[in-house]
Amino acid sequence: MTSATRRDVTLSDGEVIPAVTVVRTAGMAASPLSAQVPGERDRWGRPSVDAHLRVVGVPDVHAAGDTAHAAADDGRSTARSCQHALPMSRFAGHDVAAELLGGDLLPFPPDPYVTCLALGPAGAVCTEGRQRALDPPPPTDDAERLLDQAGRLSNG
C-alpha cells in the first residue's frame, strides 16, 4: 500500500481499490536489542520470561511488551500489542524497583484476551476470549453496567 484516502487505497503496483474503511497491519517483532539477550525465544524472537517478567535463565534481566514471551490465559502467550504490553511494562518496572530496593515482587496477571474493533459513529464490537464470541455491550444509558464492563476489561 502506497497511499490511502477517504475513498480509496493505492497499492504499490498502482492498483486503486475503492474503500470506505481501511485496516492496515504492518506486523510486529521483538526489538533487535533483545537478540543480545541469550535464552529461549518464541517464533517472533521474544525471550521467554517468568511470572515476574525476568528473562528465563538470565538473572537481573527483565523484558516486557512486544519483546517478552510471557504466559497468558489458557496456556497461551501474551499478544504483541498494547493490550498486554502496557500493563507488562508497569509490572516489570515495579519488579525491577522492588528487586533493587528489597521489596516484594508482583507477578504479572495478564488480562483475558480481547479483540476490539472500532466502527466509527456506529460504535464498536468487542469480544473476550480466543473464540471471539460477540459479547453485546450494555445499554449506553446504564452507567453502572458500562463502568462495570470497563473495569472488567482493564488491568487496573
Side-chain angles (χ1 to χ4, degrees):
M1 182 171 77
T2 59
S3 68
T5 69
R6 293 176 154 257
R7 293 179 297 281
D8 57 43
V9 173
T10 303
L11 303 181
S12 59
D13 66 1
E15 180 181 3
V16 177
I17 301 171
V20 175
T21 302
V22 176
V23 177
R24 179 178 185 261
T25 61
M28 293 178 263
S31 164
L33 180 63
S34 67
Q36 297 179 32
V37 178
E40 179 183 325
R41 299 174 186 292
D42 68 2
R43 66 181 180 188
W44 293 285
R46 302 180 303 169
S48 296
V49 296
D50 66 14
H52 299 284
L53 304 175
R54 296 174 293 208
V55 175
V56 174
V58 186
D60 302 325
V61 175
H62 289 72
D66 297 350
T67 300
H69 176 225
D73 55 335
D74 65 14
R76 303 205 184 200
S77 62
T78 52
R80 297 170 326 280
S81 70
C82 62
Q83 172 184 339
H84 289 126
L86 295 174
M88 287 172 83
S89 64
R90 287 196 314 266
F91 279 86
H94 173 275
D95 284 356
V96 167
E99 284 183 346
L100 291 171
L101 300 172
D104 294 330
L105 303 182
L106 295 174
F108 170 65
D111 279 337
Y113 182 80
V114 297
T115 303
C116 298
L117 176 62
L119 302 172
V125 175
C126 293
T127 66
E128 185 174 330
R130 305 275 176 176
Q131 299 77 21
R132 294 189 174 103
L134 289 176
D135 184 14
T140 57
D141 61 349
D142 188 337
E144 186 175 338
R145 285 184 59 203
L146 281 170
L147 291 172
D148 179 58
Q149 182 165 337
R152 183 174 54 83
L153 297 176
S154 73
N155 199 339

